[in-house]
């Protein structure tokens, strides 16, 4: 007898429909035959499913059974098909009614006992079920808590094979998972987060960070060891606006596809991601890829912050893969298994020392780096990559008086209020367009919203000529100027706004102290 169960597979972060076809009663040895381009984990499902059926009180097929995962050209990976295969066998052997099966999309891993286990990509599968017009989707309970955030599709949490079969057979009812009860929407408890008030001194750096976050600008911090570069970078998420539900679903979808759980047990909350890979990371680890392409650190930081500490220590080839994602807000990966496009709209924050040993002499500690060593160190960062970083800011060494002060700095909540207000102006300005912040303005929008009068135009032209800036740097200065004006609640860009934006091109001026 033939039975068909609707399931899905992941391609990048997208769910693709897969039909699990089960045919029993064939002539031959009593065994399961699995076809349809399965990987090793899918092939192993035969043994898991057989044990799960027996331990759940169901009969195991005594004839040859063929299981086909269609379409055959799509490579299938992971244990995601355990539950639909088991239910397909029950349907094909008349242990379960078949008329209701095609109304649901089903996915889940099974233990030998018949209990379900969480899987990757629950959010993407729920979106697939909604797009396919299904009546609902059956998923393991923890995966269902994540998928419940998708609107207009009932998500039924199942704890075991027996429970799933009883529900489909009409013997029991299961309440759909409710999004308001999902642990994935919990906010971080007050007092658990780090705060900007813990930062000592560095007023100029704090100002640059506020401007960068207010406009979504990329930021490079240059300073000696101990000047607070990493400490400030790790507190940037505390002043960023809370993500909208749509933005958070994009974040959660990428993390789910990568197998990263965002809930209270992992210390991650309803907030923007902060990713800080080590400088030994590979090109694939940063960009994404693999034999079956998946998201890398750039995509895992989508709608949040990608922090690269000790920037020149990264391999140059690794840094160069950042150029296209920073410009386009997405990354395209081509492999033999297929081509995928992943979102990567990030705020890049990078930190570096001014010299290889970290010191220049301005800190009261003489640098032992030779001019040739310093030049090699700085040249690890290409000009095209620097062009894509809007703000370069210097972080001088802290004095003993600054370190000893008991006075707290401005709190993150206060800074965030100003940033949210500035972002609100930008959202109103760009309503109906793809841009959501000043850093994402198109050339046409720059001409429209960053107009300069003749005197300011001449000022910028002189700066361009003196600093030998590129056309891309010209646009970056205008975007930063617009953000500074927004923070000042000014309708037009004033002279002080433009001058402040120009000074944030430290590396163009080759000023490394």
């Amino acid at each position: 007898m033939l039975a068909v169960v609707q399931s899905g597979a992941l391609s990048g972060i997208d769910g693709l429909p897969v039909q699990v076809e089960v045919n029993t009663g064939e002539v031959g040895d009593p065994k399961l035959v699995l076809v349809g381009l399965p990987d090793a984990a899918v092939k192993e499902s035969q043994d898991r499913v057989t044990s799960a059926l027996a331990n759940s009180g169901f009969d195991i097929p005594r004839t040859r059974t063929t299981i086909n995962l269609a379409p055959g050209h799509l490579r299938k990976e992971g244990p995601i098909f355990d539950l639909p295969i088991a239910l397909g066998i029950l349907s094909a052997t008349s242990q379960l009614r078949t008329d209701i099966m095609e109304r649901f999309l089903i996915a889940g891993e099974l233990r030998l006992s018949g209990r379900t286990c969480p899987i990757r990509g629950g959010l993407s599968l729920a979106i697939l079920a909604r797009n396919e017009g299904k009546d609902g989707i059956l998923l393991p309970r923890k995966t269902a808590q994540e998928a419940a955030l998708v609107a207009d599709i009932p998500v039924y949490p199942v704890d075991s094979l027996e429970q799933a079969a009883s529900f489909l057979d009409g013997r029991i009812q299961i309440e759909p998972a409710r999004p308001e009860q999902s642990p994935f929407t919990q906010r971080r408890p007050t007092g658990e987060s780090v705060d900007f008030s813990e930062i000592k001194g560095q007023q100029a750096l704090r100002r640059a960070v506020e401007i960068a976050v207010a406009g979504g600008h990329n930021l490079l911090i240059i300073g000696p060891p101990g000047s607070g570069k990493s400490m400030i970078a790790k507190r940037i998420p505390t002043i960023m606006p809370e993500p909208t539900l749509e933005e958070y679903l994009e974040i959660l979808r990428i993390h789910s596809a990568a197998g990263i759980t965002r809930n209270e047990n992992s210390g991650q909350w309803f907030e923007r991601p902060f990713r800080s890979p080590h400088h030994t990371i590979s090109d694939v680890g940063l960009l994404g890829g693999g034999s079956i392409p998946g998201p890398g650190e750039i995509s895992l930081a989508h709608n949040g912050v990608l922090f690269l500490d000790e920037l020149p220590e990264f391999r140059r080839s690794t840094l160069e893969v950042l150029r296209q994602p920073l410009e386009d807000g997405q990354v395209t990966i081509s492999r033999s298994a297929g081509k995928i496009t992943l979102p990567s709209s990030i705020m890049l924050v990078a930190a570096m020392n001014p010299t290889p040993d970290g010191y220049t002499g301005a800190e009261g500690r003489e640098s032992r780096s030779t001019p040739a060593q310093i030049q090699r160190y700085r040249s690890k960062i290409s000009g095209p990559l620097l062009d894509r970083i809007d703000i370069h800011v210097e972080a001088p060494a802290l004095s003993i008086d600054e370190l000893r002060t008991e006075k707290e700095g401005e709190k993150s909540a206060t800074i965030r209020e100003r940033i949210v207000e500035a972002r609100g102006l930008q959202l109103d300005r760009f309503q109906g367009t793809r841009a959501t912040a000043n850093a994402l303005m198109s050339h046409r929008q720059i001409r429209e919203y960053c107009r300069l009068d003749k005197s300011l135009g001449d000022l910028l032209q002189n700066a361009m000529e003196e600093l030998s800036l590129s056309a891309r740097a010209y646009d970056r200065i205008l975007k930063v100027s617009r953000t500074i004006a927004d923070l000042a609640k000014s309708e037009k860009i004033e002279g002080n706004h433009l001058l402040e934006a120009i000074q944030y091109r430290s590396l163009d001026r080759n000023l490394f102290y």
Side-chain angles (χ1 to χ4, degrees):
M1 181 177 175
L2 177 65
V4 179
V5 181
Q6 307 299 318
S7 189
L10 287 178
S11 176
I13 63 170
D14 297 319
L16 300 177
V18 171
Q19 286 190 334
V20 180
E21 301 173 329
V22 181
N23 191 57
T24 60
E26 302 173 5
V27 177
D29 296 334
K31 65 177 181 178
L32 298 180
V33 179
L34 186 60
V35 296
L37 211 57
D39 71 351
V42 179
K43 291 177 181 177
E44 290 171 354
S45 67
Q46 302 174 65
D47 298 320
R48 289 193 299 271
V49 167
T50 301
S51 296
L53 286 169
N55 290 323
S56 299
F58 297 108
D59 295 331
I60 300 173
R62 302 300 178 185
T63 61
R64 179 184 172 93
T65 301
T66 301
I67 302 164
N68 179 41
L69 306 178
H73 69 274
L74 178 66
R75 186 167 184 81
K76 322 301 187 304
E77 65 167 344
I80 191 173
F81 301 106
D82 289 5
L83 184 58
I85 287 174
L87 292 172
I89 291 174
L90 293 178
S91 180
T93 55
S94 301
Q95 298 180 71
L96 181 65
R97 57 188 284 198
T98 60
D99 59 325
I100 195 174
M101 197 75 73
E102 292 197 7
R103 290 163 46 190
F104 295 90
L105 192 144
I106 303 169
E109 179 183 353
L110 290 176
R111 296 189 183 277
L112 300 185
S113 63
R115 302 287 295 179
T116 58
C117 299
I119 57 173
R120 296 189 298 115
L123 200 69
S124 298
L125 294 175
I127 294 172
L128 172 64
R130 182 185 63 189
N131 295 342
E132 292 286 308
K134 299 300 179 184
D135 290 350
I137 178 172
L138 272 65
L139 293 170
R141 183 167 297 277
K142 286 188 177 180
T143 307
Q145 292 174 338
E146 161 196 314
L149 299 179
V150 178
D152 303 323
I153 182 72
V155 180
Y156 297 95
V158 292
D159 297 311
S160 66
L161 171 60
E162 195 280 330
Q163 184 186 26
S166 298
F167 170 73
L168 292 172
D169 223 13
R171 297 194 301 270
I172 64 171
Q173 296 292 321
I174 298 178
E175 284 294 319
R178 298 168 60 184
E180 62 271 16
Q181 295 178 340
S182 172
F184 292 88
T185 58
Q186 292 185 7
R187 271 65 173 176
R188 185 184 294 273
T190 304
E192 285 195 12
S193 179
V194 294
D195 196 273
F196 253 78
S197 61
E198 300 161 348
I199 305 296
K200 306 285 187 181
Q202 299 294 10
Q203 295 305 315
L205 177 55
R206 291 166 64 103
R207 166 67 175 173
V209 169
E210 181 176 341
I211 294 169
V213 176
H217 303 287
N218 300 322
L219 173 70
L220 174 60
I221 307 172
I222 311 130
S227 57
K229 303 186 298 294
S230 300
M231 188 175 182
I232 284 184
K234 291 175 182 177
R235 283 155 178 77
I236 286 178
T238 67
I239 63 174
M240 298 185 79
E242 188 176 84
T244 63
L245 181 59
E246 182 180 353
E247 288 176 328
Y248 183 67
L249 286 177
E250 290 180 349
I251 297 167
L252 188 60
R253 188 178 175 193
I254 297 169
H255 284 232
S256 174
I260 300 174
T261 302
R262 292 178 59 85
N263 57 27
E264 74 282 0
N265 296 325
S266 65
Q268 297 178 349
W269 312 87
F270 188 94
E271 61 189 15
R272 298 179 183 274
F274 179 88
R275 305 291 299 184
S276 180
H278 193 262
H279 61 76
T280 56
I281 191 172
S282 65
D283 299 9
V284 171
L286 189 62
L287 185 68
S291 56
I292 298 179
E297 290 292 333
I298 295 176
S299 294
L300 292 172
H302 178 62
N303 286 334
V305 175
L306 177 65
F307 177 48
L308 302 183
D309 201 4
E310 305 296 345
L311 186 65
E313 300 301 329
F314 286 80
R315 285 190 293 271
R316 179 153 182 162
S317 63
T318 303
L319 292 178
E320 291 307 298
V321 304
L322 286 169
R323 288 161 58 173
Q324 182 242 338
L326 288 177
E327 197 71 22
D328 301 337
Q330 62 183 25
V331 56
T332 301
I333 305 169
S334 296
R335 296 291 185 272
S336 58
K339 177 180 177 180
I340 62 170
T341 298
L342 300 170
S344 58
S345 180
I346 62 170
M347 176 183 169
L348 174 66
V349 179
M352 63 179 287
N353 297 324
T355 60
D357 64 357
Y359 301 96
T360 63
E363 309 84 7
R365 180 170 175 174
E366 185 178 352
S367 174
R368 290 177 292 181
S369 301
T370 66
Q373 289 174 327
I374 295 173
Q375 181 59 34
R376 278 197 304 271
Y377 178 75
R378 298 175 184 176
S379 65
K380 291 181 180 180
I381 308 170
S382 69
L385 179 59
L386 281 177
D387 267 353
R388 288 167 170 83
I389 300 178
D390 305 12
I391 297 176
H392 313 153
V393 62
E394 300 161 7
L398 293 172
S399 67
I400 298 300
D401 289 338
E402 287 176 315
L403 290 173
R404 292 187 59 188
T405 183
E406 297 293 329
K407 183 180 178 181
E408 282 195 343
E410 196 173 28
K411 291 186 177 296
S412 293
T414 306
I415 302 172
R416 189 192 305 117
E417 287 178 5
R418 295 195 296 267
I419 289 172
V420 168
E421 190 172 357
R423 283 287 185 104
L425 294 174
Q426 295 165 47
L427 288 174
D428 291 341
R429 178 183 301 138
F430 304 129
Q431 194 170 17
T433 70
R434 295 178 60 183
T436 55
N438 287 335
L440 303 177
M441 279 192 285
S442 65
H443 291 294
R444 182 189 61 79
Q445 289 169 329
I446 292 174
R447 290 196 301 270
E448 182 176 354
Y449 300 117
C450 302
R451 291 175 180 160
L452 303 178
D453 59 30
K454 186 179 184 306
S455 62
L456 292 185
D458 292 342
L459 174 62
L460 182 53
Q461 179 179 344
N462 291 336
M464 293 288 296
E465 293 171 352
E466 287 290 329
L467 304 178
S468 300
L469 299 180
S470 68
R472 185 177 281 115
Y474 179 89
D475 286 349
R476 305 282 172 182
I477 290 174
L478 289 176
K479 291 177 180 180
V480 174
S481 299
R482 181 65 265 172
T483 299
I484 296 171
D486 288 341
L487 285 169
K489 302 178 184 178
S490 173
E491 291 186 6
K492 64 177 183 176
I493 297 173
E494 304 286 354
N496 57 323
H497 306 149
L498 182 61
L499 287 170
E500 185 176 3
I502 292 172
Q503 75 162 348
Y504 291 131
R505 304 301 302 183
S506 300
L507 293 187
D508 297 320
R509 291 182 284 132
N510 197 27
L511 275 187
F512 273 145
Y513 298 86

